Amino acid sequence: MENYSQNDSISKLVKCKFPLSHSPLVHCITNEITIESVANALLYINAKPVMVADIREFPELFEQIDSLFLNLGHISPEREIALLEAGKMASSMRIPFVIDLVGIVISKIRFDLSKELLDFKPTIVKGNISEMRTFCGLSSHGRGVDSASSDQSSNSVDELMNAMFEKAQNHPETTFIATGATDLIVSKNSRLELKNGVPELDRFTGTGDIVGALMTALVEHEHDGLVAGVAAISYLNICAENAIESTEGLADFRQETLNQLSLLINNEYWYESIRGALHA
Ligand SMILES: Nc1ncnc2c1ncn2[C@@H]1O[C@H](COP(=O)(O)OP(=O)(O)O)[C@@H](O)[C@H]1O
Ligand SMILES: Cc1ncsc1CCOP(=O)(O)O
Ligand SMILES: [Mg+2]
């Protein structure tokens, strides 16, 4: 295992990811709690958000979109039907899509829904560390939509990394991502850990949703879940590192982190601040 230093091989993966030159149209079926933050975050990186949940519009809409974000944060019987229909259409039309396992620790309904969506071969399945533990069938101490610090010990993180790697062997088309103090990014042939960010990212709502939406904007370009995951997480987390330097209080920190999404783009070499480790 390498040190958590700036890592050349990881930086090379993400070079040239920002700014997005081509404004991908990103369709999001997401939760009402953070929907506005998600839409603005996409605009700040030069993507175009569109939030549509009425399945009657899907046949026309799916001819127009570049990628799809399916977020389980606030489900209902209608939302569940829309999520499944969208996953099915994305799969048959080969549109890259991301599943965000928000709140999967809460109920079997969300757990079963995530497994049904996995059958459509998503580009990425992501959640926080506690959510990903539940998804992988490991014990989890997550509460509501937040992860538990007891799931973030190094033993638990190693156990989760192994479980995700096993999942990736059975689902070679999908990248599995768990976020937290350490972020795990796992595909069939690669295992990566990232170490940027600040603990305050867990103290305002929507950071997981935003990073999921950023990945969705990036999968359109490369169809590569691993590169999109590394770029999106690192970008948001370095924005937060910059924001914490100049703010006091969580509301100002939130505002400045979002503001930085539109500013860090101006630093051509932002990716040189990535800290992580790449396993073979
Ligand atoms: N303790 C932490 N230290 C550094 N970065 C963190 C920490 N907790 C979360 N993050 C970052 O915040 C973002 C959201 O992660 P997380 O809080 O796990 O998601 P969620 O909001 O879905 O629970 C990710 O980019 C993650 O790397
Ligand atoms: C509070 C809450 N309840 C259901 S979804 C949601 C927002 C979750 O946002 P995130 O997990 O991205 O912080
Ligand atoms: Mg959160």
Side-chain angles (χ1 to χ4, degrees):
M1 171 77 165
E2 296 165 54
N3 289 332
Y4 291 117
S5 54
Q6 189 274 324
N7 184 303
D8 274 350
S9 47
I10 297 179
S11 295
K12 276 186 196 117
L13 277 176
V14 303
K15 230 192 297 198
C16 304
K17 277 284 150 199
F18 293 107
L20 299 182
S21 51
H22 53 295
S23 294
L25 184 59
V26 182
H27 174 202
C28 307
I29 302 180
T30 189
N31 67 75
E32 295 85 339
I33 300 93
T34 68
I35 193 165
E36 187 264 358
S37 301
V38 165
N40 275 315
L42 285 168
L43 285 166
Y44 295 166
I45 63 154
N46 203 27
K48 294 283 178 212
V50 59
M51 279 58 175
V52 177
D54 186 332
I55 62 172
R56 293 173 303 172
E57 295 183 295
F58 286 4
E60 287 158 274
L61 177 71
F62 275 63
E63 294 294 340
Q64 302 165 46
I65 61 174
D66 295 303
S67 59
L68 171 68
F69 181 48
L70 299 181
N71 180 299
L72 308 194
H74 203 203
I75 54 169
S76 64
E78 297 74 30
R79 187 73 53 83
E80 181 174 346
I81 290 167
L83 289 163
L84 287 168
E85 182 62 17
K88 188 167 109 193
M89 288 184 67
S91 180
S92 72
M93 296 172 75
R94 303 186 67 77
I95 295 168
F97 72 106
V98 175
I99 298 172
D100 195 334
L101 305 170
V102 187
I104 191 183
V105 305
I106 296 169
S107 69
K108 187 168 178 313
I109 290 178
R110 290 188 206 219
F111 181 81
D112 291 345
L113 176 56
S114 70
K115 296 292 168 177
E116 273 191 81
L117 289 170
L118 180 63
D119 288 341
F120 296 127
K121 300 189 187 333
T123 319
I124 294 175
V125 175
K126 69 148 293 254
N128 64 39
I129 277 188
S130 296
E131 289 162 349
M132 188 52 76
R133 286 185 69 86
T134 297
F135 183 75
C136 290
L138 300 173
S139 65
S140 168
H141 299 94
R143 293 175 70 215
V145 296
D146 294 315
S147 61
S149 51
S150 54
D151 290 334
Q152 311 227 13
S153 68
S154 68
N155 280 350
S156 298
V157 166
D158 287 350
E159 182 184 39
L160 179 57
M161 176 81 101
N162 290 335
M164 290 164 72
F165 195 59
E166 214 174 291
K167 270 257 174 278
Q169 303 315 302
N170 297 326
H171 299 279
E173 62 291 318
T174 301
T175 298
F176 296 88
I177 297 178
T179 56
T182 300
D183 308 285
L184 310 179
I185 305 188
V186 178
S187 65
K188 185 171 186 290
N189 299 314
S190 310
R191 289 173 302 154
L192 245 141
E193 294 184 22
L194 297 174
K195 274 284 185 182
N196 289 99
V198 295
E200 288 80 357
L201 277 167
D202 198 27
R203 302 285 311 283
F204 72 85
T205 193
T207 49
D209 300 334
I210 288 168
V211 84
L214 299 184
M215 289 171 200
T216 313
L218 296 173
V219 285
E220 181 275 328
H221 191 52
E222 287 247 351
H223 285 234
D224 184 326
L226 187 109
V227 176
V230 172
I233 290 172
S234 302
Y235 191 75
L236 174 67
N237 288 356
I238 293 167
C239 285
E241 289 173 9
N242 291 348
I244 204 80
E245 297 288 313
S246 60
T247 53
E248 263 184 62
L250 291 169
D252 280 355
F253 168 67
R254 169 177 183 266
Q255 191 68 16
E256 186 54 26
T257 299
L258 299 178
N259 197 29
Q260 285 287 325
L261 289 174
S262 68
L263 295 175
L264 187 62
I265 278 171
N266 298 327
N267 177 356
E268 199 185 335
Y269 300 108
W270 70 271
Y271 53 82
E272 291 184 350
S273 302
I274 294 175
R275 282 178 285 126
L278 177 63
H279 302 251

PDB file of all heavy atoms in Angstrom, residues 21-33:
ATOM      1  N   SER A  21     -16.007  20.701 -21.631  1.00  0.00           N
ATOM      2  CA  SER A  21     -16.136  21.579 -22.787  1.00  0.00           C
ATOM      3  C   SER A  21     -17.463  21.371 -23.504  1.00  0.00           C
ATOM      4  O   SER A  21     -17.914  22.215 -24.259  1.00  0.00           O
ATOM      5  CB  SER A  21     -14.979  21.312 -23.749  1.00  0.00           C
ATOM      6  OG  SER A  21     -14.909  19.927 -23.980  1.00  0.00           O
ATOM      7  N   HIS A  22     -18.121  20.239 -23.243  1.00  0.00           N
ATOM      8  CA  HIS A  22     -19.234  19.855 -24.112  1.00  0.00           C
ATOM      9  C   HIS A  22     -20.600  19.877 -23.422  1.00  0.00           C
ATOM     10  O   HIS A  22     -21.582  19.468 -24.012  1.00  0.00           O
ATOM     11  CB  HIS A  22     -18.968  18.462 -24.670  1.00  0.00           C
ATOM     12  CG  HIS A  22     -18.683  17.486 -23.572  1.00  0.00           C
ATOM     13  ND1 HIS A  22     -17.578  17.587 -22.774  1.00  0.00           N
ATOM     14  CD2 HIS A  22     -19.374  16.435 -23.117  1.00  0.00           C
ATOM     15  CE1 HIS A  22     -17.600  16.615 -21.875  1.00  0.00           C
ATOM     16  NE2 HIS A  22     -18.684  15.914 -22.053  1.00  0.00           N
ATOM     17  N   SER A  23     -20.693  20.342 -22.166  1.00  0.00           N
ATOM     18  CA  SER A  23     -21.980  20.489 -21.453  1.00  0.00           C
ATOM     19  C   SER A  23     -22.908  19.281 -21.584  1.00  0.00           C
ATOM     20  O   SER A  23     -23.975  19.375 -22.215  1.00  0.00           O
ATOM     21  CB  SER A  23     -22.733  21.731 -21.937  1.00  0.00           C
ATOM     22  OG  SER A  23     -22.050  22.874 -21.587  1.00  0.00           O
ATOM     23  N   PRO A  24     -22.578  18.145 -21.009  1.00  0.00           N
ATOM     24  CA  PRO A  24     -23.478  16.990 -21.099  1.00  0.00           C
ATOM     25  C   PRO A  24     -24.825  17.279 -20.443  1.00  0.00           C
ATOM     26  O   PRO A  24     -24.895  17.975 -19.432  1.00  0.00           O
ATOM     27  CB  PRO A  24     -22.730  15.897 -20.324  1.00  0.00           C
ATOM     28  CG  PRO A  24     -21.799  16.635 -19.413  1.00  0.00           C
ATOM     29  CD  PRO A  24     -21.408  17.879 -20.153  1.00  0.00           C
ATOM     30  N   LEU A  25     -25.893  16.755 -21.052  1.00  0.00           N
ATOM     31  CA  LEU A  25     -27.231  16.885 -20.470  1.00  0.00           C
ATOM     32  C   LEU A  25     -27.439  15.711 -19.511  1.00  0.00           C
ATOM     33  O   LEU A  25     -27.489  14.550 -19.929  1.00  0.00           O
ATOM     34  CB  LEU A  25     -28.286  16.884 -21.585  1.00  0.00           C
ATOM     35  CG  LEU A  25     -29.727  17.115 -21.131  1.00  0.00           C
ATOM     36  CD1 LEU A  25     -29.891  18.468 -20.412  1.00  0.00           C
ATOM     37  CD2 LEU A  25     -30.687  17.056 -22.328  1.00  0.00           C
ATOM     38  N   VAL A  26     -27.550  16.047 -18.210  1.00  0.00           N
ATOM     39  CA  VAL A  26     -27.580  15.026 -17.154  1.00  0.00           C
ATOM     40  C   VAL A  26     -28.985  14.955 -16.565  1.00  0.00           C
ATOM     41  O   VAL A  26     -29.463  15.908 -15.944  1.00  0.00           O
ATOM     42  CB  VAL A  26     -26.554  15.373 -16.043  1.00  0.00           C
ATOM     43  CG1 VAL A  26     -26.551  14.295 -14.967  1.00  0.00           C
ATOM     44  CG2 VAL A  26     -25.155  15.540 -16.634  1.00  0.00           C
ATOM     45  N   HIS A  27     -29.642  13.828 -16.779  1.00  0.00           N
ATOM     46  CA  HIS A  27     -30.993  13.625 -16.250  1.00  0.00           C
ATOM     47  C   HIS A  27     -30.876  13.075 -14.826  1.00  0.00           C
ATOM     48  O   HIS A  27     -30.220  12.057 -14.603  1.00  0.00           O
ATOM     49  CB  HIS A  27     -31.732  12.634 -17.155  1.00  0.00           C
ATOM     50  CG  HIS A  27     -33.076  12.226 -16.655  1.00  0.00           C
ATOM     51  ND1 HIS A  27     -33.693  11.066 -17.042  1.00  0.00           N
ATOM     52  CD2 HIS A  27     -33.925  12.821 -15.791  1.00  0.00           C
ATOM     53  CE1 HIS A  27     -34.865  10.967 -16.449  1.00  0.00           C
ATOM     54  NE2 HIS A  27     -35.028  12.018 -15.680  1.00  0.00           N
ATOM     55  N   CYS A  28     -31.548  13.736 -13.875  1.00  0.00           N
ATOM     56  CA  CYS A  28     -31.487  13.305 -12.472  1.00  0.00           C
ATOM     57  C   CYS A  28     -32.887  12.967 -11.973  1.00  0.00           C
ATOM     58  O   CYS A  28     -33.802  13.792 -12.072  1.00  0.00           O
ATOM     59  CB  CYS A  28     -30.949  14.419 -11.590  1.00  0.00           C
ATOM     60  SG  CYS A  28     -29.387  15.123 -12.128  1.00  0.00           S
ATOM     61  N   ILE A  29     -33.051  11.763 -11.430  1.00  0.00           N
ATOM     62  CA  ILE A  29     -34.237  11.466 -10.627  1.00  0.00           C
ATOM     63  C   ILE A  29     -33.712  11.411  -9.212  1.00  0.00           C
ATOM     64  O   ILE A  29     -32.994  10.483  -8.829  1.00  0.00           O
ATOM     65  CB  ILE A  29     -34.890  10.134 -11.048  1.00  0.00           C
ATOM     66  CG1 ILE A  29     -35.269  10.178 -12.532  1.00  0.00           C
ATOM     67  CG2 ILE A  29     -36.127   9.862 -10.177  1.00  0.00           C
ATOM     68  CD1 ILE A  29     -35.912   8.906 -13.054  1.00  0.00           C
ATOM     69  N   THR A  30     -34.011  12.443  -8.429  1.00  0.00           N
ATOM     70  CA  THR A  30     -33.316  12.603  -7.154  1.00  0.00           C
ATOM     71  C   THR A  30     -34.263  13.085  -6.075  1.00  0.00           C
ATOM     72  O   THR A  30     -35.474  13.163  -6.289  1.00  0.00           O
ATOM     73  CB  THR A  30     -32.085  13.515  -7.355  1.00  0.00           C
ATOM     74  OG1 THR A  30     -31.285  13.499  -6.178  1.00  0.00           O
ATOM     75  CG2 THR A  30     -32.466  14.951  -7.713  1.00  0.00           C
ATOM     76  N   ASN A  31     -33.710  13.376  -4.906  1.00  0.00           N
ATOM     77  CA  ASN A  31     -34.572  13.732  -3.780  1.00  0.00           C
ATOM     78  C   ASN A  31     -34.826  15.238  -3.725  1.00  0.00           C
ATOM     79  O   ASN A  31     -33.996  16.047  -4.146  1.00  0.00           O
ATOM     80  CB  ASN A  31     -33.970  13.197  -2.480  1.00  0.00           C
ATOM     81  CG  ASN A  31     -32.674  13.888  -2.108  1.00  0.00           C
ATOM     82  OD1 ASN A  31     -32.668  15.022  -1.646  1.00  0.00           O
ATOM     83  ND2 ASN A  31     -31.548  13.201  -2.344  1.00  0.00           N
ATOM     84  N   GLU A  32     -36.005  15.606  -3.148  1.00  0.00           N
ATOM     85  CA  GLU A  32     -36.415  17.008  -3.077  1.00  0.00           C
ATOM     86  C   GLU A  32     -35.576  17.803  -2.083  1.00  0.00           C
ATOM     87  O   GLU A  32     -35.571  19.028  -2.111  1.00  0.00           O
ATOM     88  CB  GLU A  32     -37.874  17.122  -2.624  1.00  0.00           C
ATOM     89  CG  GLU A  32     -38.891  16.557  -3.570  1.00  0.00           C
ATOM     90  CD  GLU A  32     -39.121  15.061  -3.389  1.00  0.00           C
ATOM     91  OE1 GLU A  32     -38.252  14.371  -2.820  1.00  0.00           O
ATOM     92  OE2 GLU A  32     -40.174  14.577  -3.829  1.00  0.00           O
ATOM     93  N   ILE A  33     -34.885  17.110  -1.193  1.00  0.00           N
ATOM     94  CA  ILE A  33     -34.145  17.800  -0.136  1.00  0.00           C
ATOM     95  C   ILE A  33     -32.993  18.596  -0.729  1.00  0.00           C
ATOM     96  O   ILE A  33     -32.746  19.739  -0.375  1.00  0.00           O
ATOM     97  CB  ILE A  33     -33.622  16.781   0.920  1.00  0.00           C
ATOM     98  CG1 ILE A  33     -34.790  16.037   1.559  1.00  0.00           C
ATOM     99  CG2 ILE A  33     -32.796  17.467   2.005  1.00  0.00           C
ATOM    100  CD1 ILE A  33     -35.185  14.756   0.952  1.00  0.00           C
TER     101      ILE A  33
END
